[in-house]
Amino acid sequence: MERAPDFVVERYRDRAESGDARAQFYLGLMAEQGLITGTPDDAAARGWFERAARHGYPPAQYKLGVMLEEGRGGPPDAKGAATNYRQAADSGMAEAQYNYALMMSQGRGLPQDIPTAIRWFERAALAGVVEAQMALAEIHSVGVGVPIDPVEAWAWLKRAAEAGNAEALELLPQIEARMDEPAKEEARKLKSAHDTLAQIRTER
């Protein structure tokens, strides 16, 4: 693995030591990828992400959440992961919104709360996170904490299918088989509403 030039590392390090959260974040990425020493160093990466996260830098909060959840660079900390995901999610980071929703739906690191998790899944899904779209399709298809709703399931599956998700393409006919024509028309209208909401979010 190629190392980053020393002068580049030192440039970021000088800025990071002076409290520049963006530089701290990039040093974390470089350490994670092995660009500083030639070998990936999760412990160093986690340390830099922690420093940047304390400054409220959303990408670092997200990356720190991943490392805490997976126990990389130190012991696992589900509660800390959920906290950092939430902070990044509040800033609008869709990947963090999905991870936070997933942890909440499973009750890992915070109390299980399906209705609130669904709202976070929806925010991530409208931002284009296919995993969130698939999660919502499953929740509404089998009734995870909510009544079974094939119309809602179809609308999210359709968005995932349009993004090229093979599983969604396979599941769509199964959902459609449970729907009569009025339900299918309602599902198409709901999908159109989702598309409009997603476009509004993109334009903001």
Side-chain angles (χ1 to χ4, degrees):
M1 180 177 295
E2 294 186 7
R3 291 176 53 181
D6 289 343
F7 80 90
V8 172
V9 176
E10 290 309 312
R11 181 179 178 85
Y12 278 114
R13 194 183 303 277
D14 287 344
R15 294 179 178 178
E17 294 294 355
S18 69
D20 186 325
R22 183 171 177 270
Q24 293 166 347
F25 171 70
Y26 280 115
L27 275 175
L29 290 180
M30 293 167 71
E32 182 183 29
Q33 296 169 11
L35 299 179
I36 297 178
T37 64
T39 303
D41 187 342
D42 282 348
R46 182 161 160 169
W48 285 116
F49 291 144
E50 285 175 346
R51 293 177 66 173
R54 285 197 295 269
H55 287 288
Y57 194 62
Q61 293 165 338
Y62 170 72
K63 288 292 292 185
L64 178 58
V66 172
M67 300 197 91
L68 292 171
E69 182 179 7
E70 298 178 354
R72 292 171 48 204
D77 180 359
K79 184 177 179 180
T83 297
N84 278 276
Y85 285 147
R86 174 59 189 266
Q87 291 169 343
D90 283 337
S91 76
M93 181 170 285
E95 294 84 357
Q97 292 168 350
Y98 167 70
N99 284 14
Y100 181 66
L102 187 61
M103 293 192 77
M104 180 179 289
S105 70
Q106 298 171 349
R108 291 187 295 114
L110 71 171
Q112 186 180 49
D113 184 343
I114 299 298
T116 303
I118 288 173
R119 291 198 289 272
W120 283 106
F121 276 133
E122 288 174 347
R123 292 175 68 175
L126 289 172
V129 178
V130 174
E131 293 83 357
Q133 295 163 359
M134 294 299 294
L136 287 167
E138 180 179 4
I139 285 170
H140 292 291
S141 177
V142 301
V144 180
V146 294
I148 292 175
D149 187 346
V151 168
E152 191 84 35
W154 184 94
W156 292 115
L157 271 180
K158 185 66 173 177
R159 285 188 64 81
E162 289 179 352
N165 185 275
E167 184 181 2
L169 286 167
E170 182 179 341
L171 290 174
L172 269 174
Q174 299 177 31
I175 297 293
E176 290 173 352
R178 296 158 50 187
M179 302 162 63
D180 57 19
E181 282 306 317
K184 291 177 182 178
E185 179 61 23
E186 183 181 354
R188 287 189 286 268
K189 290 179 179 178
L190 181 59
K191 163 64 168 49
S192 179
H194 289 168
D195 291 343
T196 300
L197 287 172
Q199 184 63 34
I200 291 172
R201 286 171 60 92
T202 301
E203 293 174 351
R204 286 181 179 175

